[in-house]
Amino acid sequence: MLNVEDWAEIRRLHRAEGVPIKEIARRLGIARNTVRAALNSDRPPKYERAARGSVVDAFEPQIRALLAEWPKMPAPVVAQKISWPYSISPLKKRLAAIRPEYVGVDPVDRVVYEPGQITQCDLWFPEPRIPVAPGQERVLPVLVMTLGFSRFLTATMIPSRQAGDILTGMWQLIREIGRVSKTLVWDRESAIGGTGRLSAPAAAFAGTLATKILLAPPRDPEFKGMVERNNGFLETSFLPGRIFTSPADFNAQLGEWLTLANARTVRALQGRPVDLLETDYLSMLPLPPVAPPIGLSNRIRLGRDYYVRVDTVDYSVDPRVIGRFVDVTADTRVVTVLCNGEVVAQHERSWAKHGVITDPAHQGVAATLRKSYAAQRKQRATADRQHTDGHVVALRALPDYDALFGVDFTAPATKASNT
């Protein structure tokens, strides 16, 4: 076969120097027909090895029959179904080549986001366990939000994945930016839209901000690929080499790192998120004059055990409102209990599980109330009872009633006999 060097020389001799075909053939020692073929070809010669058969060829009809019914059948299962006797590698290569004919192709377009258009949101669960109480550590969620146009990244650790805590974290990050995007993208997080429809707290949050929460299709992480990549970025660039002593310490270190992360140059943008944030900001929606409904809330009647429960932790309440309805609200920092608009308890929120938080003042009030209640009972027991006209009601002893009805409960018991 003619090589590339001879092909190039033939064309040079004939076209540049005008050497006849017969003379070229004599000089290069090749046939004249080979010279003619080189002159008629506009492409350099390319060696192509003759196709050889594969061990998969005999099994291909069976493979195609299986894929026609189960397009995503894994290679090991296909091998088992067709009694494959060889190494699995050639079977995997053939499956990779023909499977798209049955599965179909789902092309993805390049998406370009306009300023202020979208923010992608997600929960990231870092592996390190964070100390939350003496002897207790937890894996806590981190709310991550990424602006679509500027790629500006914000994040904060929250105490739980309940709707109130997620929305509190969102409001905190949105307030730090100062405006909100026209659309907030979420996956099917149970507290946001686990059923495919927005939960009531999420809908109320979006309505107050006049924005829209868009739920991603199920099992489609590419729908919010920016924030998913940022989760990996946090995993590989923020976590290594760090030790955290508390959730507050985690958020403090995260805040310092985010300042540096947003100042890096993003190759896809050829710019820095911190520099592009201003353009994003000007096209975003202004924040409303009132805060959206966030945090955990509950209304209960306070029992004799003067504690209320928030996320598995019990908090003491002023026992003077036992038996009355109280409103319990909690954000990521503080738990507040109100009764008729008056604060009857306020505690720093614990991120631990199954804890008990007691205010010593509440314990003191409870002890005083118990003493007062005991004194009242004693007084009622010893006081003479009176009729409405004022004369004393006589109190009879129980044996008097026994004698009246002719019974004697003090007599010794007699053994029954059948005779």
Side-chain angles (χ1 to χ4, degrees), residues 270-350:
Q270 292 300 308
R272 304 190 307 166
V274 68
D275 297 332
L276 298 172
L277 177 61
E278 180 66 19
T279 304
D280 231 348
Y281 177 87
L282 294 176
S283 298
M284 296 166 75
L285 301 173
L287 300 183
V290 295
I294 58 174
L296 306 178
S297 61
N298 191 19
R299 181 178 174 83
I300 63 170
R301 189 187 296 273
L302 189 64
R304 288 182 59 200
D305 179 12
Y306 49 95
Y307 285 80
V308 294
R309 180 162 295 176
V310 177
D311 191 25
T312 76
V313 178
D314 293 336
Y315 299 86
S316 68
V317 180
D318 190 332
R320 286 173 291 191
V321 295
I322 287 175
R324 299 165 65 183
F325 280 103
V326 294
D327 297 297
V328 186
T329 59
D331 57 22
T332 58
R333 298 179 299 105
V334 178
V335 175
T336 304
V337 184
L338 300 175
C339 181
N340 291 333
E342 180 183 353
V343 177
V344 291
Q346 193 166 59
H347 300 271
E348 181 181 352
R349 182 169 177 186
S350 172

Side-chain angles (χ1 to χ4, degrees), residues 375-386 392-395:
Q376 291 175 8
R377 289 191 60 185
K378 184 177 180 180
Q379 181 180 3
R380 286 196 299 268
T382 57
D384 292 333
R385 293 186 295 176
Q386 296 180 346
V392 177
V393 178
L395 298 178

